Amino acid sequence: MLTHAELKAKALQNADVKQAYDGLEEKYALLREMLHARSAAGLTQAEVAARMDTQAPAIARLERLGKHSPSIETLRKYAQAVGCKLEIRLVPQEP
């Protein structure tokens, strides 16, 4: 049986799989930042929700980053709720 790392390495040898995987990097980078910020603030989803004047299931959906992309305003409110500020940058792509 393959380990997770071995299975991932094998799958990424396929060009189509690698392209799809790489295309998700930005979305999951944002998710990692959000989860790290909430954890560093020592807050639960319910506590973040209260600070954003919403319900915990809304925060759960936001942290899943599924089909719906959050608005900049929602991200700003989330950042403020976890004691951060939202910073958006455009970074030149590597050739």
Side-chain angles (χ1 to χ4, degrees), residues 17-37:
V17 172
K18 175 134 176 52
Q19 182 180 8
Y21 180 83
D22 291 344
L24 295 172
E25 175 54 31
E26 288 177 355
K27 179 185 274 191
Y28 286 98
L30 173 60
L31 177 58
R32 283 190 301 275
E33 289 287 325
M34 291 170 66
L35 296 176
H36 174 75

Side-chain angles (χ1 to χ4, degrees), residues 69-91:
S69 295
S71 69
I72 291 173
E73 181 62 17
T74 298
L75 292 173
R76 186 192 62 73
K77 287 179 181 179
Y78 183 95
Q80 185 176 19
V82 297
C84 295
K85 71 175 187 169
L86 179 64
E87 186 174 285
I88 299 173
R89 301 179 300 137
L90 296 178
V91 179

Side-chain angles (χ1 to χ4, degrees), residues 41-62:
L43 299 171
T44 66
Q45 288 180 338
E47 291 168 328
V48 171
R51 290 178 178 202
M52 290 178 66
D53 195 29
T54 190
Q55 301 295 314
I59 302 306
R61 283 190 303 276
L62 180 62

Side-chain angles (χ1 to χ4, degrees), residues 1-13:
M1 177 172 252
L2 295 174
T3 67
H4 177 265
E6 292 167 336
L7 181 61
K8 179 181 170 184
K10 184 176 181 179
L12 291 176
Q13 290 175 355

